[in-house]
């Protein structure tokens, strides 16, 4: 038998109302001592990546999130019953520790878009009357200097965001992309009771840097901080 996996949680009520899962499949609980794995029986090797399936996965996780704090599995994780039992048995202590870390917590996401654009007119002006070889060298030099400036500016924004929210989060994870319009993507683990505080801080940061555009979402189950996927891939090669 194969299972499609949604999340791991601490013991939850068997009366919890759950939506239908992937492709309309029923959802059930598998008990492993103090841990519960939320699954659907699944007879396929893959599941299609489409909006309906992604929303079904998220709906099940959110139903558990409403009364507990789960460790979500990545979308489209399918495994045999035997391998699932082996994984849970060998990772009980690690999973319990991770559940303790995220207990009563939620994830908030913040994305920052900046207005940096290439001044093409300025670039063209700098190369007027310059030979092709010299123009190429000038362009490469400006590119290197520009890359360094972009990286420095992007890291400054990331550090500024991290510092601003530090007082109301447990953990944070930042992805900084200096050459992209979406320059910073941050995931923040916080106590559920701190959502209002977090949004207030983000509002203050927005006022400080009006040239930046913020996209804030959540609260979500702690997908970024679950860290189940790497262990799964290491032990079973699940992708």
């Amino acid at each position: 038998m194969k299972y499609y996996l949604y999340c791991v949680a601490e013991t939850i009520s068997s009366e919890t109302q759950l939506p239908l899962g992937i492709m309309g499949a029923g959802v059930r609980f598998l008990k492993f001592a103090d841990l519960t794995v939320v699954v659907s029986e699944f007879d396929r090797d893959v599941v299609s990546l489409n909006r309906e399936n992604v929303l079904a996965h998220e709906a099940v996780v959110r139903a558990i999130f409403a009364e507990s704090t789960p460790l979500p599995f990545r979308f489209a994780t399918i495994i045999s019953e035997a391998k699932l039992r082996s994984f849970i048995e060998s990772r009980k202590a690690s999973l319990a520790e991770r559940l303790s870390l995220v207990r009563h917590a939620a994830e908030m996401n913040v994305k920052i878009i900046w207005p940096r654009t290439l001044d093409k007119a300025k670039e063209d002006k700098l190369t007027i009357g310059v030979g092709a070889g010299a123009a190429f060298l000038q362009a490469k030099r400006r590119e290197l200097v520009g890359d360094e400036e972009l990286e420095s500016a992007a890291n400054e924004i990331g550090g500024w965001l991290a510092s601003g929210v530090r007082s109301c989060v447990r953990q944070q994870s930042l992805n900084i992309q200096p050459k992209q319009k979406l320059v910073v993507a941050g995931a923040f683990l916080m106590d559920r009771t701190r959502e209002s505080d977090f949004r207030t801080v983000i509002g203050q940061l927005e006022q400080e840097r009006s040239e930046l555009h913020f996209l804030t979402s959540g609260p979500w189950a702690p997908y970024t901080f679950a860290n189940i996927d790497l262990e799964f891939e290491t032990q079973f090669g699940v992708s």
Side-chain angles (χ1 to χ4, degrees):
M1 178 184 297
K2 294 180 182 177
Y3 290 117
Y4 179 94
L5 307 182
Y6 300 97
C7 60
V8 178
E10 293 175 302
T11 302
I12 56 180
S13 171
S14 59
E15 298 180 359
T16 300
Q17 296 297 310
L18 296 176
L20 292 176
I22 293 293
M23 300 174 65
V27 180
R28 54 178 292 202
F29 300 143
L30 296 180
K31 302 287 188 178
F32 298 89
D34 293 332
L35 299 178
T36 299
V37 184
V38 184
V39 307
S40 287
E41 293 184 12
F42 206 73
D43 60 1
R44 304 187 184 190
D45 294 323
V46 296
V47 58
S48 298
L49 176 58
N50 57 46
R51 184 174 185 274
E52 183 179 5
N53 285 336
V54 170
L55 291 178
H57 178 100
E58 172 62 15
V60 173
V61 173
R62 287 194 73 83
I64 302 301
F65 184 55
E67 69 167 80
S68 182
T69 306
L71 298 176
F73 286 99
R74 185 173 55 183
F75 173 80
T77 300
I78 302 167
I79 196 169
S80 70
E81 181 177 11
K83 287 185 175 181
L84 174 60
R85 291 187 178 279
S86 174
F87 173 77
I88 296 297
E89 289 297 327
S90 64
R91 295 292 193 274
K92 273 184 179 179
S94 174
L95 291 170
E97 181 179 354
R98 200 156 302 144
L99 282 164
S100 177
L101 170 68
V102 303
R103 188 177 295 124
H104 306 310
E107 177 175 328
M108 295 292 293
N109 297 139
V110 177
K111 298 178 180 179
I112 297 179
I113 297 172
W114 65 353
R116 298 189 72 92
T117 58
L118 177 65
D119 189 340
K120 189 64 170 61
K122 183 178 180 180
E123 290 284 305
D124 292 340
K125 184 176 180 180
L126 289 171
T127 57
I128 292 176
V130 177
F136 173 78
L137 292 175
Q138 285 184 9
K140 293 301 292 183
R141 189 176 300 114
R142 287 195 301 274
E143 181 181 342
L144 291 174
V145 172
D147 286 351
E148 291 177 356
E149 291 178 346
L150 282 176
E151 183 174 355
S152 177
N155 287 332
E156 185 275 326
I157 292 173
W160 167 76
L161 172 63
S163 177
V165 302
R166 185 172 293 125
S167 64
C168 54
V169 302
R170 297 186 190 178
Q171 289 190 357
Q172 50 186 286
S173 174
L174 294 180
N175 181 22
I176 300 174
Q177 298 289 338
K179 293 187 178 182
Q180 303 298 320
K181 289 279 287 182
L182 202 165
V183 63
V184 176
F188 303 93
L189 185 70
M190 61 168 198
D191 291 347
R192 295 198 195 191
T193 57
R194 300 298 303 274
E195 180 184 350
S196 178
D197 296 336
F198 183 87
R199 290 186 181 278
T200 296
V201 168
I202 294 299
Q204 293 169 346
L205 294 178
E206 287 184 275
Q207 292 180 359
E208 287 181 23
R209 304 284 287 269
S210 59
E211 78 279 10
L212 303 176
H213 180 60
F214 286 69
L215 300 171
T216 303
S217 63
W220 310 105
Y223 282 92
T224 303
F225 304 93
N227 296 328
I228 294 180
D229 296 328
L230 180 60
E231 293 185 357
F232 237 75
E233 293 171 6
T234 300
Q235 188 169 1
F236 299 119
V238 174
S239 60

